Amino acid sequence: MAIYKEVKSDLSDKISEGVYKSGDRIPSERTLAQAYGVSRMTLRQALNELENDGFLRKEKGRGTFVTSKDLYQENLRSFTHTLIARQIVPSTRIIEVCKVRHIRHISQLLQVHRDEAYYKIKRLRCGDEVPIGLETVYIPVIHVPDIDQYDLTQSFYTILEEGYGYEMIRSACEIEACLANSILASLMEAKKKSALLKVSGVTYSQEDKALFYEESYYKSDLYKYHVDIMGQR
Amino acid sequence: MAIYKEVKSDLSDKISEGVYKSGDRIPSERTLAQAYGVSRMTLRQALNELENDGFLRKEKGRGTFVTSKDLYQENLRSFTHTLIARQIVPSTRIIEVCKVRHIRHISQLLQVHRDEAYYKIKRLRCGDEVPIGLETVYIPVIHVPDIDQYDLTQSFYTILEEGYGYEMIRSACEIEACLANSILASLMEAKKKSALLKVSGVTYSQEDKALFYEESYYKSDLYKYHVDIMGQR
DNA sequence: CAGTGGTCTAGACCACAGG
DNA sequence: CTGTGGTCTAGACCACTGA
């Protein structure tokens, strides 16, 4: 791993462990660079990322400070959990599970090598037996060897956690609206040209490892997206 | 001004002028560095900021590309700020500003007394003169007396902050997809039955005071919603 | 004034993509 | 293989802060 990422990770740990507390000034760039035995430019890259992630705040001529704990919130809840919370009985129909070859834009997002294969897992998610969403996950085979041996009608999150020890930390999603084409309409038992919510993005596990890419469609009348946005402008 | 900012500005101009078009690969870092007469590290700082601002996308081993022009809503940024960051000229047309009486489901959400009146502010938001979204805000008159005296073509956030001292902390939004009915289609210059993103929710200011309720529609091909979800289930 | 972060240089080696 | 972006170094000068 890149040195600056090691440094970033270490500093991040120190912040969450309370070695550097909220509002504290951390040591100067030159001091830290010497302590870690890296050049100042390298150390700065670590600090800059931590600043972008909202952990640090720099003040010219004064120093670098740990930000107060305004962290983003909102639960990363799987489809299954969301439905259960609403007392709807979730079910899943497997549409397709297969291995596919390199797909460039996905490899780019997940930062995997160009000739890694993926599992493509396409599932129809239902609530009380009514189709609600069509979820397609692309996950590198090396991350989850033999995942096709699992019962994929279960919660995907649970399989990743209990089967492989991953822990989902965050997702970066893009949300848009689209119309159902004939394929989507037929699979989801929706009217052609009805409005669908399209959610696509990458989910990350421990150490900010990009774990899988997902592209999902939901019937908007049945499944809305709730988001809490925390400020910091 | 810092050299890298000059470079960034120049590259940004070239993108908006179409010298580098959407999807184009721009010259390599080494080439550009030489062309501008700066070191590669300096040039990279310009490129990195342009990447963060969403203008460029880098692909290891392949090159740096101009991104397509989709807009993304990020964190708690007002519409105006989002557009400015992408060097699109924002404009606003006032559709309607009036006082309305008690609306039960809104009063419920904002937790105000049942006979408080609201300002209803309906505005068409445009980028480079093209309609992108139709935003309707309901805000209790007691929270912002005489807000109709302000120039409401400006950023609503700025008016609330500078005119009334509010500070927006968070929003709780619900996102869904819908079809444009004839009224929406006509106001937004969209096709009838095209897919729209509907965003509705409450924005809170200091001390978690529910400040206003908003119901907005966006053309999904022009304005996408970007969300970072932090875990902890 | 001394110390801080902000910027900048001119190299270097690496891993990766594509031919 | 060549060319790309990713990372890294060991210096340097600047503008700013606070004493």
Side-chain angles (χ1 to χ4, degrees), chain A residues 44, chain B residues 4 40-50:
Chain A
R44 275 174 62 77
Chain B
Y4 81 90
R40 192 175 153 222
M41 287 298 274
T42 301
L43 185 103
R44 274 175 62 77
Q45 190 164 0
L47 292 194
N48 286 336
E49 294 209 353
L50 286 168

Side-chain angles (χ1 to χ4, degrees), chain B residues 133-198:
Chain B
L134 182 68
E135 301 182 345
T136 306
V137 164
Y138 295 86
I139 185 164
V141 173
I142 42 165
H143 292 173
V144 286
D146 300 317
I147 200 176
D148 50 357
Q149 304 302 309
Y150 282 86
D151 171 13
L152 289 167
T153 63
Q154 292 184 71
S155 161
F156 192 61
Y157 275 60
T158 304
I159 293 172
L160 292 179
E161 286 177 353
E162 297 178 4
Y164 297 91
Y166 289 114
E167 195 181 324
M168 266 56 73
I169 301 298
R170 68 183 185 96
S171 294
C173 298
E174 201 165 279
I175 304 176
E176 49 196 306
C178 67
L179 299 179
N181 60 28
S182 41
I183 297 173
L184 282 172
S186 134
L187 279 172
M188 298 178 66
E189 298 173 17
K191 282 186 189 162
K192 199 177 161 184
K193 294 197 177 173
S194 60
L196 300 179
L197 213 49
K198 177 181 176 184

Side-chain angles (χ1 to χ4, degrees), chain B residues 35-136:
Chain B
Y36 283 107
V38 301
S39 77
R40 192 175 153 222
M41 287 298 274
T42 301
L43 185 103
R44 274 175 62 77
Q45 190 164 0
L47 292 194
N48 286 336
E49 294 209 353
L50 286 168
E51 189 184 17
N52 283 333
D53 292 348
F55 292 104
L56 297 177
R57 167 179 40 89
K58 294 180 171 191
E59 296 190 24
K60 203 188 299 184
R62 299 218 321 136
T64 302
F65 301 82
V66 179
T67 51
S68 44
K69 287 213 187 86
D70 296 331
L71 296 176
Y72 302 97
Q73 171 77 3
E74 298 205 3
N75 290 337
L76 235 201
R77 294 177 87 178
S78 74
F79 184 89
T80 311
H81 287 100
T82 305
L83 291 199
I84 289 173
R86 306 240 29 191
Q87 295 201 326
I88 291 169
V89 180
S91 59
T92 300
R93 294 180 221 156
I94 307 294
I95 305 295
E96 185 182 5
V97 176
C98 60
K99 283 190 190 180
V100 296
R101 290 246 147 264
H102 174 67
I103 301 168
R104 181 163 340 138
H105 84 277
I106 297 180
S107 298
Q108 203 83 36
L109 287 168
L110 298 183
Q111 303 195 57
V112 296
H113 274 126
R114 60 180 155 199
D115 36 33
E116 288 299 343
Y118 295 92
Y119 283 112
K120 173 183 177 183
I121 301 168
K122 184 181 285 203
R123 309 185 300 167
L124 186 67
R125 317 305 303 272
C126 306
D128 291 338
E129 298 298 328
V130 177
I132 295 178
L134 182 68
E135 301 182 345
T136 306

Side-chain angles (χ1 to χ4, degrees), chain A residues 53-55 67-74 230-232, chain B residues 230:
Chain A
D53 293 349
F55 293 103
T67 50
S68 39
K69 280 216 185 106
D70 273 333
L71 292 190
Y72 310 71
Q73 286 297 338
E74 172 56 6
M230 304 297 284
Q232 66 163 21
Chain B
M230 305 294 282

Side-chain angles (χ1 to χ4, degrees), chain B residues 5-62:
Chain B
K5 288 195 175 173
E6 306 270 16
V7 173
K8 177 185 173 187
S9 165
D10 186 74
L11 287 170
S12 171
D13 288 346
K14 283 198 167 52
I15 291 171
S16 55
E17 287 164 8
V19 179
Y20 302 136
K21 296 190 187 67
S22 200
D24 278 6
R25 199 187 75 180
I26 68 171
S28 77
E29 296 181 348
R30 289 167 181 81
T31 307
L32 286 171
Q34 196 167 21
Y36 283 107
V38 301
S39 77
R40 192 175 153 222
M41 287 298 274
T42 301
L43 185 103
R44 274 175 62 77
Q45 190 164 0
L47 292 194
N48 286 336
E49 294 209 353
L50 286 168
E51 189 184 17
N52 283 333
D53 292 348
F55 292 104
L56 297 177
R57 167 179 40 89
K58 294 180 171 191
E59 296 190 24
K60 203 188 299 184
R62 299 218 321 136

Side-chain angles (χ1 to χ4, degrees), chain A residues 79-80 91-92 123-127 130-135 154-155:
Chain A
F79 184 90
T80 311
S91 60
T92 299
R123 308 185 301 168
L124 186 67
R125 317 305 302 271
C126 305
V130 177
I132 294 177
L134 183 68
E135 301 183 346
Q154 292 183 73
S155 161

